[in-house]
Amino acid sequence: MNNKVWVEVNAKALARNILVLQKRIGTHAQLWAVIKSNAYGHGLLLFSALANRGVDGFCVDSVIEGLKLRRNGIKKTILVLGPTLAKESMAEAAKHHIELSVSSFDALRALARLHTRPYVHLKVDTGMHRQGIYSEDVPRALSFIRRHHIPLKGIYTHFAHVKDPRHTVFTETQFH
């Protein structure tokens, strides 16, 4: 078989890029590597090993990817960006200190039934329309989280058009 496409990861370039980003964001923000879906084809374990020294945490697509990192010595914070509904996966995440994104009331209800709960980050849909609690439902979600003692660590959104200079007003609206 003749592969026409391949990926090469330059460890020195990655380290240099991480250093540039660290200097740019300063000490009041953290730098996390988004390595979901096998590091976008660059190799989950390879990329995480190369970036581990310079980043504060890792974002993956699933609990399965998070567990793979844990089994391979990654001790930093791991956040699952994709939806996690299975109660067993949520329990496994808690057991291995893997944090979860919560983007639905179904997920919140499943977490409420767990004895040991992982840290969660509430994902708010501000216009991407892929996943997340709608902005108007955030107060109800936060009330549920407090009432059920679900350990909330963060709240985030996904900007729909942040790279497109034609949509700066929409991005500003999402930001606010």
Side-chain angles (χ1 to χ4, degrees):
M1 182 161 100
N2 184 6
N3 290 329
K4 295 180 182 182
V5 179
W6 68 92
V7 174
E8 291 184 30
V9 177
N10 183 318
K12 288 181 183 178
L14 175 61
R16 187 173 54 249
N17 290 343
I18 288 172
L19 189 60
V20 167
L21 289 169
Q22 285 172 330
K23 286 180 182 176
R24 185 124 193 225
I25 65 173
T27 58
H28 298 294
Q30 292 187 348
L31 179 62
W32 287 45
V34 178
I35 57 172
K36 63 184 191 166
S37 303
N38 194 30
Y40 296 95
H42 292 84
L44 182 75
L45 297 179
L46 169 66
F47 200 88
S48 62
L50 292 173
N52 191 38
R53 179 177 275 171
V55 300
D56 297 293
F58 292 97
C59 298
V60 297
D61 182 58
S62 65
V63 173
I64 292 168
E65 284 188 336
L67 292 172
K68 196 172 189 180
L69 292 180
R70 287 286 186 250
R71 283 193 300 271
N72 283 275
I74 298 296
K75 296 186 182 341
K76 293 189 175 174
T77 305
I78 297 170
L79 170 62
V80 174
L81 295 177
T84 306
L85 289 177
K87 189 176 173 182
E88 296 77 25
S89 294
M90 291 177 170
E92 200 68 11
K95 180 179 175 184
H96 294 281
H97 306 286
I98 296 170
E99 299 176 6
L100 299 178
S101 291
V102 177
S103 58
S104 71
F105 283 96
D106 286 341
L108 285 172
R109 285 188 283 276
L111 281 163
R113 290 189 294 271
L114 290 177
H115 176 68
T116 303
R117 299 171 183 140
Y119 282 107
V120 300
H121 299 249
L122 185 65
K123 183 167 186 183
V124 180
D125 185 343
T126 58
M128 187 73 170
H129 303 300
R130 233 192 274 166
Q131 67 179 22
I133 302 284
Y134 291 120
S135 300
E136 60 269 18
D137 292 328
V138 169
R140 189 165 61 101
L142 291 174
S143 176
F144 186 95
I145 288 167
R146 275 192 292 275
R147 194 168 53 254
H148 294 280
H149 307 288
I150 297 170
L152 179 67
K153 193 167 182 186
I155 298 175
Y156 74 99
T157 192
H158 190 297
F159 292 113
H161 301 288
V162 75
K163 294 179 187 174
D164 190 340
R166 297 171 297 167
H167 292 93
T168 57
V169 172
F170 185 74
T171 299
E172 283 295 319
T173 302
Q174 282 188 281
F175 184 77
H176 292 293

